[in-house]
Amino acid sequence: MNGDVIRQLIDGTLPDPDGGPALSVPIRSVVIAETLENEERDLVASLDLGARLALVSDPTTHRVLGARVARAVSGIAELHLLALPEHPHADAITVERIRNESASADALIAVGSGTINDLCKYASALDGKPYVAFGTAPSMNGYTSVNAAITVGGHKKSLPARAPQGVFLDLSVLAAAPPRMIRSGLGDSLCRPTAQADWLLASVLRGEPYREAPFALLAGDETALFSSGDALLGGDLDAMKRLARTLVLSGFGMTICGGSMPASQGEHLIGHYAEMLANPAWPASFHGEQIGVATLTMARLQETLLEKDAPEIVGSDPSEAAVLDHFGPEIGPACWREFEPKRLAGDGVRQFNQRLKESWEQLRARIEKCHRTAAELERALARAGAPSTPEDLGWSHDFYRDAVRHAREIRNRYTFLDLAAQAGRLEEFAATL
């Protein structure tokens, strides 16, 4: 894909590599610039969001950018400052707080990164209000997606949400973000190869819809991005622009597909499992840091399976009692509702083995075309000094092995974790971690 891909997507003129109509997205404005200082007022005013706006930030994001946006916007609208606590949680309780405190506002302005963006995205969807996002860190790929990662009753879910009207990324602000948040954005971008392989698996073996479009959007920047970790941490704005574009385009890929399939597969299941069940006394880690570590695990698992002949399904999946026993009474029922539709049992095992045998070589060939080795991905993290092992995140090996064994049980998404488990190979693989 050539030219200004982001502009073409917004204009609805980008050709679809899958052969459909021109690609488009429900977002009116994306601006990525070296600086947006003194531009904030015009950026917001151009979108006609209404006369009453609520600006949502936490103490850090307000200091970094929120106060500047508030000063610029206060002249064009009645502005309510909605101050969240430091390190807010992307959970249903906080969503309701935002909805209550912004009830009289016509629109929301999210100033922050992953958590604040998800909170405002979901709150605006529930209330049917527009919102815009001013990013403060290049830490995740959710700015332009239409799904939000929200914890409901202790269960991490990806919920349908609302696309922002505008996303505004000041590269000078992003480059000044804490190094761990920059590494987190790189980690969240690293999973393109493993997510694509998992989605291809589900498509070939289970007939699930699959598209090349979201991956074509990323192709132009990926090789250079994966080799520029040191430049990202050194304040190089060209490298930061590449990361920002990748995060925006990854979000657009999810929007085009109507879900998180192209950017959230087995590696995200492992990360979500950890967020749900990790010991709260362990050191905090960013989502993208977790995804970087889990991506290396998924890449190794995929390589382990793909280097051999077609595996054979040898047993049944866990029962409801087993899932409830592992996850407990609070979140176990929700996990079972997600997991049960993809279980294999009875005659389904025979049919699945037949599909495996017939399609395995085709699957391997398709994955080979989009593959990056675990060694390549590990080098990309190393260049940025990013975490690459569970110990780097402060997680115990026993906990991480459990995450790899059981992460597939939290969601109805078929990945190489499922295939390995059903073929009796996941336990052996997890024991090597």
Side-chain angles (χ1 to χ4, degrees):
M1 291 186 173
N2 300 314
D4 187 344
V5 175
I6 294 175
R7 183 72 261 165
Q8 288 177 281
L9 279 170
I10 292 173
D11 291 344
T13 60
L14 187 67
D16 182 358
D18 296 302
L23 300 175
S24 62
V25 291
I27 295 177
R28 296 166 59 193
S29 177
V30 172
V31 179
I32 303 172
E34 289 192 7
T35 181
L36 296 178
E37 192 161 11
N38 300 320
E39 302 295 328
E40 301 90 348
R41 175 190 172 112
D42 291 341
L43 291 173
V44 173
S46 68
L47 297 175
D48 298 318
L49 298 175
R52 299 179 303 277
L53 305 177
L55 186 149
V56 184
S57 62
D58 64 29
T60 296
T61 65
H62 196 74
R63 173 178 52 80
V64 168
L65 185 59
R68 194 176 98 190
V69 174
R71 286 193 299 271
V73 173
S74 60
I76 60 171
E78 178 185 330
L79 187 65
H80 170 61
L81 299 180
L82 202 164
L84 299 177
E86 197 74 80
H87 310 302
H89 297 289
D91 55 27
I93 293 173
T94 309
V95 169
E96 288 308 304
R97 178 189 165 186
I98 291 174
R99 295 180 67 194
N100 290 335
E101 294 190 24
S102 64
S104 63
D106 298 313
L108 302 177
I109 299 175
V111 181
S113 55
T115 297
I116 289 176
N117 187 57
D118 276 340
L119 288 166
C120 291
K121 181 189 303 185
Y122 192 53
S124 70
L126 293 176
D127 290 337
K129 295 178 179 179
Y131 90 102
V132 298
F134 282 86
T136 56
S139 55
M140 53 86 221
N141 61 0
Y143 285 117
T144 55
S145 71
V146 290
N147 46 280
I150 303 292
T151 299
V152 181
H155 188 201
K156 190 85 168 185
K157 296 185 175 185
S158 181
L159 300 174
R162 186 183 186 92
Q165 292 292 291
V167 173
F168 309 121
L169 300 176
D170 183 317
L171 294 174
S172 297
V173 172
L174 301 190
R180 288 185 63 189
M181 298 191 82
I182 297 172
R183 294 179 181 121
S184 179
L186 178 63
D188 212 16
S189 303
L190 202 73
C191 71
R192 192 283 308 161
T194 60
Q196 188 169 2
D198 276 340
W199 200 13
L200 279 167
L201 176 76
S203 172
V204 170
L205 296 184
R206 289 165 55 92
E208 296 182 9
Y210 170 85
R211 297 188 68 176
E212 288 288 344
F215 306 112
L217 297 179
L218 303 174
D221 289 310
E222 184 174 279
T223 297
L225 175 64
F226 286 4
S227 64
S228 64
D230 50 351
L232 281 171
L233 273 295
D236 186 313
L237 293 190
D238 287 335
M240 185 55 65
K241 184 176 182 179
R242 195 174 296 119
L243 176 57
R245 278 173 49 85
T246 294
L247 297 173
V248 165
L249 289 169
S250 180
F252 276 149
M254 290 186 273
T255 295
I256 289 166
C257 295
S260 61
M261 297 81 67
S264 175
Q265 294 282 344
E267 72 295 318
H268 275 70
L269 296 182
I270 295 172
H272 291 330
Y273 177 102
E275 290 173 0
M276 289 162 55
L277 297 176
N279 187 329
W282 289 346
S285 53
F286 289 107
H287 168 78
E289 291 180 311
Q290 299 166 9
I291 298 308
V293 171
T295 293
L296 297 186
T297 298
M298 287 304 301
R300 291 165 183 143
L301 176 62
Q302 291 168 354
E303 289 171 4
T304 297
L305 291 173
L306 290 166
E307 69 185 7
K308 300 176 182 178
D309 292 337
E312 182 180 1
I313 306 305
V314 296
S316 297
D317 281 316
S319 65
E320 180 178 8
V323 172
L324 295 179
D325 180 64
H326 181 78
F327 288 94
E330 284 193 20
I331 62 175
C335 292
W336 173 252
R337 287 192 295 271
E338 286 284 324
F339 179 62
E340 195 274 336
K342 68 176 178 179
R343 290 180 74 247
L344 280 179
D347 196 47
V349 173
R350 182 189 62 79
Q351 296 172 1
F352 205 76
N353 275 325
Q354 184 64 28
R355 286 198 296 275
L356 267 171
K357 184 177 180 180
E358 293 172 352
S359 61
W360 188 247
E361 291 307 317
Q362 173 204 2
L363 176 67
R364 286 207 294 193
R366 293 182 69 181
I367 291 177
E368 179 63 29
K369 293 179 180 179
C370 60
H371 179 61
R372 287 188 184 269
T373 67
E376 286 181 87
L377 300 176
E378 188 169 16
R379 286 194 294 271
L381 291 177
R383 291 186 186 101
S388 61
T389 68
E391 295 99 328
D392 292 341
L393 299 173
W395 296 346
S396 74
H397 255 89
D398 285 345
F399 172 80
Y400 191 67
R401 291 188 186 104
D402 273 348
V404 172
R405 292 184 183 107
H406 295 283
R408 71 191 190 99
E409 296 164 23
I410 70 173
R411 194 154 182 219
N412 183 16
R413 185 155 289 180
Y414 193 87
T415 75
F416 273 88
L417 292 170
D418 294 286
L419 180 61
Q422 292 165 346
R425 299 185 186 179
L426 189 58
E427 286 288 337
E428 178 183 358
F429 175 78
T432 67
L433 298 173

